[in-house]
């Protein structure tokens, strides 16, 4: 096994030290007696050898002033982004763009984890260095998208379910060997389509099985039931659906003996539907969203890493900042894709001479969200591009 595939730092949960990634080590002993007792008393199926590491990984990602860069777009979705700047969807162009992202100088000051697509996990940069190595040197934990995408859910109201449980255990073990330390599984719930009880139960059960399998193979699972923005419903309807979804999710997480201290959540913010005429202020979004968290999310969960869900870059940052104006029992942060990358991608435009400027743009967005995680973002000096909405109806990875 390469040096990139060893375990997280054992002395500090908020700093990743490459020297602690031990060559050839794939099983880790639990050093915390209390954690071992908790595991035994709860009849958890998580391998005891990974329990301590899972908690440390989660805490490392949920560290003050930092969040997650979601760069796990499938090749097809990445192709759409490249097409928006006039580039062909080739592996070389995907490699060039992802090299730009992971090698942005100082990115680790604001980013604690990066979700990768499988291609990227095994890929090298344009300079021939492993992407995983570059992230580790930046003090960024590598993660991996493990779901296999959405397909129609038979018997539902034109809804979807997320596939990928078949073979997940063996894939997760291989991803761990390659250096990944957390995973992501995204399923969706559509409010205009119901959501039906069948779709909600299928989403919750799939997430719970994925979470249990991930933990059993050393990966911290990000649990992501995205409530799509499609629709003209108001914020109260979103709130009611979100409560129902998260109640179901945690019921099945408990049924599957998932260790709460070793997971991260990636919820949608509670907002009105994209076509709703009544828009919500950041303060309203924060109030509704935090109320949802207090009613549904156990304090044992270390990190709530919100998705942007098609909000503009500035809108997503303002909403996150509003949620951090008072202390929370969880680390309330971000796991953004387009809300970190949109202006960066436009600035790059596929031209080598623009790489530095594009990286600086990425750092501006990362720093803004870092400040928002600390409740210190003001929104001053933001560009018009950053304020531009990016919602696309029916968007899926």
């Amino acid at each position: 096994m390469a040096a990139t595939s060893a375990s997280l730092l054992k002395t500090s949960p908020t700093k990743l030290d490459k020297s602690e990634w031990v060559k050839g080590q794939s099983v880790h002993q639990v050093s915390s007696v209390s954690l071992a007792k908790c595991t035994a008393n709860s009849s958890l199926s998580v391998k005891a050898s990974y329990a301590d590491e899972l908690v440390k990984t989660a805490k490392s990602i949920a560290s003050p002033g930092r969040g997650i860069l979601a760069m796990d777009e499938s090749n097809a979705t990445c192709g759409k982004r490249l097409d928006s700047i006039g580039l062909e969807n080739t592996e070389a162009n995907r490699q060039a763009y992802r090299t730009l992202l992971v090698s942005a100088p100082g990115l680790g000051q604001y980013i604690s984890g990066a979700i990768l697509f499988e291609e990227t996990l095994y890929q090298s940069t344009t300079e021939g260095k492993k992407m995983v190595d570059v992230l580790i040197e930046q003090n960024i934990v590598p993660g991996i998208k493990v779901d296999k995408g959405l397909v129609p859910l038979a018997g539902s109201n034109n809804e979807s379910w997320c596939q990928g449980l078949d073979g997940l255990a063996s894939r997760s073990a291989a991803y761990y060997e390659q250096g990944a330390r957390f995973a992501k599984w995204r399923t969706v719930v559509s409010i205009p389509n119901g959501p039906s009880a069948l779709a909600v139960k299928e989403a919750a059960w799939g997430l719970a099985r994925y979470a249990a399998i991930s933990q059993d193979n050393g990966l911290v699972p990000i649990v992501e039931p995205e409530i799509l923005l499609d629709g003209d419903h108001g914020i109260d309807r979103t709130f009611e659906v979100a409560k129902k979804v998260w109640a179901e999710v945690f019921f099945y997480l408990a049924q599957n003996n998932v260790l709460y201290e070793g997971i991260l959540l990636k919820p949608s913010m509670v907002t009105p539907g994209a076509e709703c005429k009544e828009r919500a202020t950041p303060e309203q979004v924060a109030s509704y969203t935090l109320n949802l968290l207090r009613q549904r999310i156990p304090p044992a969960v270390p990190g709530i890493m919100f998705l942007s869900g098609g909000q503009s870059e500035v809108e997503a940052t303002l909403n996150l900042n509003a949620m951090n104006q008072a202390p929370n029992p969880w680390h309330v942060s971000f796991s953004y894709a387009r809300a970190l990358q949109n202006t960066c991608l436009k600035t790059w435009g596929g031209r080598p001479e623009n790489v530095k400027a594009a990286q600086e743009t990425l750092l501006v967005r990362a720093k803004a969200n870092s400040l928002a995680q600390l409740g210190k973002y003001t929104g001053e000096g933001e560009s018009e591009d950053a304020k531009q909405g990016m919602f696309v109806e029916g968007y899926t990875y």
Side-chain angles (χ1 to χ4, degrees):
M1 187 195 316
T4 56
S5 62
S7 70
L8 279 172
L9 177 67
K10 296 183 178 179
T11 56
S12 169
T14 60
K15 182 173 176 59
L16 191 65
D17 187 340
K18 191 176 181 181
S19 66
E20 295 292 336
W21 290 58
V22 184
K23 185 175 181 180
Q25 185 175 353
S26 61
V27 178
H28 310 274
Q29 297 302 314
V30 179
S31 59
S32 170
V33 174
S34 61
L35 223 156
K37 288 181 178 179
C38 174
T39 301
N41 292 339
S42 303
S43 299
L44 293 175
S45 61
V46 177
K47 290 177 183 175
S49 56
Y50 284 124
D52 191 51
E53 182 184 356
L54 291 167
V55 174
K56 288 184 178 181
T57 300
K59 287 183 178 179
S60 177
I61 296 170
S63 56
R66 299 205 296 165
I68 294 173
L69 169 62
M71 49 180 289
D72 58 314
E73 301 88 355
S74 66
N75 289 348
T77 300
C78 191
K80 293 177 183 178
R81 298 198 183 179
L82 293 175
D83 183 64
S84 73
I85 57 171
L87 281 188
E88 187 181 355
N89 184 17
T90 64
E91 183 177 356
N93 285 335
R94 294 193 299 270
Q95 177 193 39
Y97 180 55
R98 287 159 173 164
T99 296
L100 180 160
L101 295 175
V102 302
S103 61
L107 185 64
Q109 183 177 349
Y110 313 116
I111 300 297
S112 55
I115 312 172
L116 310 178
F117 190 60
E118 188 174 68
E119 177 182 74
T120 316
L121 183 70
Y122 290 93
Q123 202 170 41
S124 295
T125 66
T126 52
E127 289 76 34
K129 195 166 187 175
K130 291 182 179 179
M131 295 274 189
V132 170
D133 280 351
V134 176
L135 289 170
I136 294 167
E137 289 174 0
Q138 292 253 50
N139 191 28
I140 298 172
V141 183
I144 178 70
K145 169 187 167 73
V146 299
D147 69 74
K148 293 295 184 179
L150 301 168
V151 292
L153 177 62
S156 71
N157 185 26
N158 294 319
E159 294 163 287
S160 301
W161 68 283
C162 187
Q163 57 188 350
L165 290 178
D166 288 351
L168 180 58
S170 59
R171 287 191 289 120
S172 297
Y175 296 149
Y176 184 94
E177 291 290 318
Q178 183 63 17
R181 287 298 175 272
F182 70 101
K184 177 199 140 177
W185 176 287
R186 172 186 179 261
T187 191
V188 301
V189 172
S190 171
I191 292 179
N193 288 356
S196 68
L198 173 64
V200 172
K201 181 172 290 188
E202 175 61 43
W205 176 256
L207 284 166
R209 287 306 305 143
Y210 137 78
I213 294 168
S214 295
Q215 289 189 337
D216 203 45
N217 288 280
L219 301 179
V220 169
I222 289 182
V223 177
E224 181 183 358
E226 179 177 354
I227 297 173
L228 298 174
L229 281 179
D230 308 55
D232 59 2
H233 52 275
I235 193 169
D236 288 293
R237 174 63 177 153
T238 306
F239 180 75
E240 291 304 318
V241 171
K243 280 203 303 182
K244 180 179 180 181
V245 169
W246 281 105
E248 200 94 348
V249 167
F250 272 95
F251 173 79
Y252 285 116
L253 287 173
Q255 290 278 300
N256 282 272
N257 299 314
V258 172
L259 178 67
Y260 289 171
E261 292 85 351
I263 67 173
L264 296 167
L265 305 185
K266 188 171 179 177
S268 311
M269 297 180 190
V270 180
T271 66
E275 289 82 42
C276 181
K277 294 180 180 178
E278 295 182 16
R279 306 313 299 163
T281 66
E283 291 73 25
Q284 288 173 318
V285 171
S287 176
Y288 273 85
T289 305
L290 291 175
N291 191 17
L292 169 69
L293 297 184
R294 285 190 289 267
Q295 292 188 35
R296 289 293 182 262
I297 311 303
V301 174
I304 316 291
M305 322 300 286
F306 281 99
L307 59 91
S308 53
Q311 301 174 65
S312 74
E313 291 175 325
V314 169
E315 186 180 12
T317 310
L318 284 169
N319 288 340
L320 177 64
N321 185 72
M323 282 187 272
N324 281 295
Q325 293 307 299
N328 293 301
W330 322 269
H331 174 80
V332 174
S333 191
F334 60 93
S335 178
Y336 293 165
R338 288 170 293 171
L340 280 172
Q341 297 181 43
N342 193 60
T343 307
C344 170
L345 182 65
K346 290 181 179 179
T347 303
W348 177 50
R351 294 185 288 274
E353 64 270 22
N354 291 343
V355 167
K356 183 178 179 182
Q359 289 178 328
E360 289 173 351
T361 301
L362 174 63
L363 291 173
V364 166
R365 292 260 46 85
K367 182 178 181 181
N369 287 291
S370 171
L371 290 171
Q373 197 288 310
L374 299 170
K376 299 178 180 179
Y377 173 73
T378 63
E380 295 179 3
E382 290 284 12
S383 68
E384 288 305 312
D385 279 341
K387 297 175 184 178
Q388 186 175 348
M390 297 176 290
F391 175 75
V392 179
E393 187 172 357
Y395 170 83
T396 57
Y397 281 165

